[in-house]
Amino acid sequence: MSPNHIRAKQAKLIRYFRKIHRVTGLLLVVFFLFVAVSGILLTWKKNSGGLILAESQTGTTTRLSQWLPIDSLHTLALRVYHDSISAESVPELSKIDVRPNKGMVKFVFEDGYWGIQLDGATGEVLHIERRWSDLIENIHDGSVLDHWFRTDGGLKLFYSSITGFALLLFCVTGFWLWYGPKRMHRRMER
């Protein structure tokens, strides 16, 4: 093969990768913006002064033997939810975050991303929070789509797969767009 033929073949490959890079980028720019912005916000959530993720409050004791039973704390959290957040809705519990070293229990609810922190020993309300970090995390991983459209994980799987494969494709094509011209230049010098 002649040097000109090899060079033409390499130039064609670079043009092909540039086109893939450009078209994929244009099609998926919105996805990447959501992933990038939500990723930055999640990185800063514990350093946001309570704007994205509220500080975990401290209860009266860390001795579990002095705590109320979890079902009693749950009943108190539901009462607080109905009194302070929404009297009409029946909240669906997402998770219970027990913090023995803080003397506190967080009850996190699905709808509206609400969280209630209670003192483990007294059941006193320590903090009621809107958990923006949970919403941001759901945007970041695509599960917000399943929540909005009431599906069971298929949209999250599609969203995460597309963005993941696209980022891999960008790594390959981006590397070749950087390396390919250098390789061509070296071959021309020989």
Side-chain angles (χ1 to χ4, degrees), residues 4 21 24 30 37 47 53-54 56 72 81 84-85 87 92 100 112 123 128 131 141 152 154 157-158 160 165 180 186:
N4 285 341
H21 203 81
T24 306
V30 173
V37 171
N47 299 304
L53 180 65
S56 293
S72 298
Y81 186 95
S84 302
I85 298 169
E92 185 178 333
I128 299 172
R131 295 182 53 89
D141 71 6
D152 62 350
L157 183 64
F158 176 76
S160 297
F165 285 128
R186 264 189 270 140

Side-chain angles (χ1 to χ4, degrees), residues 32-46:
F32 292 137
L33 285 173
F34 280 117
V35 170
V37 171
S38 61
I40 291 167
L41 291 172
L42 288 172
T43 301
W44 282 91
K45 72 181 178 184
K46 290 186 178 179

Side-chain angles (χ1 to χ4, degrees), residues 17-170:
F17 277 135
R18 187 175 292 123
K19 184 175 182 177
I20 290 173
H21 203 81
R22 183 178 53 246
V23 170
T24 306
L26 287 172
L27 291 174
L28 298 175
V29 69
V30 173
F31 288 110
F32 292 137
L33 285 173
F34 280 117
V35 170
V37 171
S38 61
I40 291 167
L41 291 172
L42 288 172
T43 301
W44 282 91
K45 72 181 178 184
K46 290 186 178 179
N47 299 304
S48 68
L51 293 174
I52 298 173
L53 180 65
E55 299 287 329
S56 293
Q57 304 300 307
T58 303
T60 55
T61 183
T62 59
R63 297 183 67 187
L64 293 175
S65 62
Q66 296 177 356
W67 280 29
L68 296 170
I70 291 292
D71 64 332
S72 298
L73 291 167
H74 179 239
T75 301
L76 290 169
L78 289 173
R79 188 175 308 136
V80 170
Y81 186 95
H82 285 293
D83 292 346
S84 302
I85 298 169
S86 173
E88 293 84 42
S89 68
V90 178
E92 185 178 333
L93 188 63
S94 173
K95 64 183 170 184
I96 300 172
D97 186 0
V98 179
R99 300 283 177 99
N101 61 332
K102 290 272 195 176
M104 179 269 297
V105 180
K106 288 183 192 180
F107 291 89
V108 180
F109 298 96
E110 286 287 331
D111 289 340
Y113 300 99
W114 286 100
I116 298 171
Q117 297 181 29
L118 299 178
D119 184 303
T122 66
E124 177 188 335
V125 177
L126 299 174
H127 189 64
I128 299 172
E129 61 182 305
R130 200 71 181 262
R131 295 182 53 89
W132 296 114
S133 63
D134 291 350
L135 172 62
I136 294 167
E137 187 176 316
N138 288 349
I139 291 169
H140 187 73
D141 71 6
S143 58
V144 72
L145 298 171
D146 289 314
H147 181 74
W148 285 340
F149 294 108
R150 307 236 187 268
T151 57
D152 62 350
L155 293 174
K156 173 186 176 177
L157 183 64
F158 176 76
Y159 173 88
S160 297
S161 297
I162 291 295
T163 54
F165 285 128
L167 287 172
L168 282 173
L169 181 68
F170 281 154

